[in-house]
Amino acid sequence: MFFRILRWTGLTLLAGVTLLVASSCTMLGLNYASLDTGNKSAPVPALDIDRLMTPDGRAEAMKLLEDTMYGPWPQGLPVSMSDWRIINANYLEGRGTLEELDITIGLGPGAQTFQLVAAFPKGALANPLVLSQTFSGNCDVFPGQPVTSSAGDPCTAQDINSTANFIVNNLFGEFIAEAPIEKYFDAGLVYSSFHAGDFVPDSTQLAPKTMAALGGEVNPTSALMAWAYAFSAALDALEKDPRIDAGHMSVMGHSRHGKAALLATIWDPRIEAVIAHQSGFAGASLSRSPTGERLDRMAETYPHWLAPGAQKFAANPSLLPFDQHLVLALIAPRRVFLGNGRRDVWSDPNSSFRAAQAASEAWAAYGVRGLSDGSMRTFDPGAGIVWWLRLGGHSIVEEDIDAFIRFLTAGKAPSAVVPPAELPSLPAPG
Ligand code: GCU
């Protein structure tokens, strides 16, 4: 009993200290994001929508992103893959299978191999796909399953650090690491994910070296672009699978991986929709915004996320020839979900909303609905740009997952060939 109390006191203290540290370095939960956009400036420069709608205008805009912030999309960097291996043929008590394959990106000794895991609902045939890129290793995303760990052997109980997970889950939400596969199955979705750091490590020292050694004619020079390319490599494997509908493939990422997901969607036309949850600076938030993290702080702490030449723009964003409303506009007319937390001031929801408002023109130019008329409180899961704002901070919680699924299934009947008795009905979109 005494040791139990001691353990809980220790854990609580540790959680408190971690919370304090996290609060001071990310301003997590200390404030509320402003919901007033009328008193703040509209994004500059204004979009030249007519030009952007032409193939040359689009190519020019993408080149601008490459030349200033993200470095090149590594076009043609070789991708190869193994066949699927069954990890669990009776996954979630027979609701589906859990499978894994190896993806290799690059050529020669510097090529990188990582594992793509997929959960297929039973009887899947041309089901919609959601592909996620994760912070956590595959052992934490699929706890209790013998998927391959970052060390290359099957995950065991030893790979799970329950104290660390307890703290992380309390700080960053129940689903920051673990994927809620039941929920995706309920919606008839195939869920697949990979750990971004298994391809290019999230490290200022290691990322540049790893990228430079990939052996392509064009290698990425920013981790965000490299991770974006990994989404594309994973789709090469997934689109061939008859259990997946190649016309309904969405990608998703949280925070730094939300930034990468937006880039992947611009460069890879196979992506039908994107969830960028709390993507922040170099994602959906405006580089010129003086609130929240700011681009200069991000570029200082995580220089490897951006191309080396981006530092001068980060130090003085007014030099940038674009702002992030262009990033969003380049996704039109495909669908984008921007997730936000009211207390996640760090990722600056207010400037993301203004970016979305300005980008909405691009959807209108295609004759489709962009951002719903309304305020930062309006959630319209069927819109072209879907704005989601909940209470709370920088995290992935159940409410977020439910909102993601409403976005992913809006207007679509679930196509899983799972007997109806096993498939709870979906909440009606809208
Ligand atoms: C840090 C960083 C953000 C980033 C976030 C994340 O807080 O400052 O820019 O989005 O990490 O990836 O969780």
Side-chain angles (χ1 to χ4, degrees):
M1 182 65 178
F2 173 73
F3 285 108
R4 247 225 198 132
I5 294 174
L6 202 67
R7 182 163 178 264
W8 277 101
T9 315
L11 278 178
T12 314
L13 272 176
L14 195 58
V17 170
T18 315
L19 185 61
L20 267 181
V21 172
S23 298
S24 57
C25 62
T26 65
M27 297 183 194
L28 280 174
L30 291 186
N31 231 324
Y32 284 109
S34 161
L35 299 186
D36 194 349
T37 49
N39 61 356
K40 298 182 185 65
S41 48
V44 289
L47 299 175
D48 181 349
I49 294 288
D50 291 342
R51 178 83 191 141
L52 208 56
M53 298 284 288
T54 66
D56 285 354
R58 181 177 172 81
E60 223 167 71
M62 286 160 71
K63 180 111 184 17
L64 214 54
L65 303 192
E66 292 179 301
D67 291 349
T68 49
M69 284 258 256
Y70 303 107
W73 172 258
Q75 188 67 42
L77 184 60
V79 174
S80 57
M81 67 221 53
S82 71
D83 289 332
W84 289 111
R85 296 183 290 273
I86 304 270
I87 299 292
N88 186 341
N90 208 23
Y91 187 46
L92 299 177
E93 290 162 358
R95 290 198 65 190
T97 56
L98 189 67
E99 305 180 25
E100 174 186 276
L101 57 70
D102 305 321
I103 296 193
T104 301
I105 301 182
L107 208 61
Q112 294 292 310
T113 298
F114 59 95
Q115 280 70 44
L116 176 72
V117 183
F120 294 97
K122 190 160 110 195
L125 186 65
N127 284 41
L129 163 80
V130 61
L131 168 65
S132 178
Q133 173 172 111
T134 63
F135 280 88
S136 311
N138 292 340
C139 303
D140 289 317
V141 178
F142 302 95
Q145 300 298 321
V147 290
T148 303
S149 74
S150 298
D153 50 359
C155 303
T156 63
Q158 255 105 57
D159 289 297
I160 308 270
N161 180 339
S162 44
T163 309
N165 285 357
F166 171 86
I167 295 169
V168 167
N169 289 357
N170 277 289
L171 273 176
F172 297 112
E174 185 185 354
F175 296 117
I176 193 68
E178 181 172 351
I181 306 297
E182 290 94 336
K183 281 187 181 270
Y184 294 119
F185 277 6
D186 289 348
L189 293 158
V190 173
Y191 171 90
S192 182
S193 66
F194 61 96
H195 175 218
D198 288 345
F199 166 44
V200 166
D202 191 4
S203 145
T204 304
Q205 279 75 39
L206 297 180
K209 289 185 196 143
T210 309
M211 293 187 288
L214 283 171
E217 271 172 38
V218 181
N219 290 325
T221 58
S222 73
L224 293 182
M225 206 52 135
W227 293 335
Y229 192 73
F231 270 118
S232 227
L235 290 178
D236 289 353
L238 293 159
E239 73 171 348
K240 294 187 198 125
D241 197 298
R243 293 170 291 182
I244 289 167
D245 180 351
H248 290 315
M249 302 195 297
S250 304
V251 296
M252 132 173 123
H254 177 226
S255 213
R256 64 201 71 183
H257 302 301
K259 307 178 207 283
L262 291 171
L263 298 182
T265 310
I266 294 176
W267 266 271
D268 193 329
R270 294 171 299 180
I271 299 173
E272 188 193 24
V274 51
I275 295 173
H277 185 50
Q278 304 181 317
S279 63
F281 287 80
S285 301
L286 293 171
S287 299
R288 287 169 173 77
S289 172
T291 51
E293 177 179 22
R294 297 198 318 258
L295 189 64
D296 60 330
R297 285 199 273 203
M298 195 203 86
E300 201 184 325
T301 319
Y302 306 98
H304 59 290
W305 289 358
L306 301 178
Q311 292 295 331
K312 69 169 183 288
F313 295 105
N316 186 1
S318 64
L319 295 178
L320 273 169
F322 67 92
D323 211 323
Q324 300 304 101
H325 53 314
L326 178 66
V327 168
L328 299 180
L330 282 166
I331 292 171
R334 292 167 297 160
R335 302 181 61 236
V336 54
F337 176 108
L338 302 176
N340 296 275
R342 186 74 201 282
R343 280 185 181 271
D344 182 24
V345 177
W346 187 247
S347 73
D348 202 19
N350 191 288
S351 84
S352 301
F353 189 77
R354 283 178 286 131
Q357 278 179 319
S360 203
E361 264 192 89
W363 274 261
Y366 283 102
V368 297
R369 187 157 54 111
L371 188 68
S372 262
D373 295 336
S375 70
M376 287 173 72
R377 292 181 193 275
T378 308
F379 175 54
D380 176 0
I385 308 180
V386 176
W387 180 259
W388 163 246
L389 178 73
R390 53 146 170 81
L391 297 173
H394 198 67
S395 51
I396 309 181
V397 296
E398 187 165 8
E399 254 183 290
D400 296 322
I401 303 285
D402 293 341
F404 299 167
I405 290 177
R406 287 183 66 187
F407 165 77
L408 292 166
T409 55
K412 284 184 205 119
S415 56
V417 195
V418 174
E422 291 178 32
L423 197 69
S425 57
L426 283 174

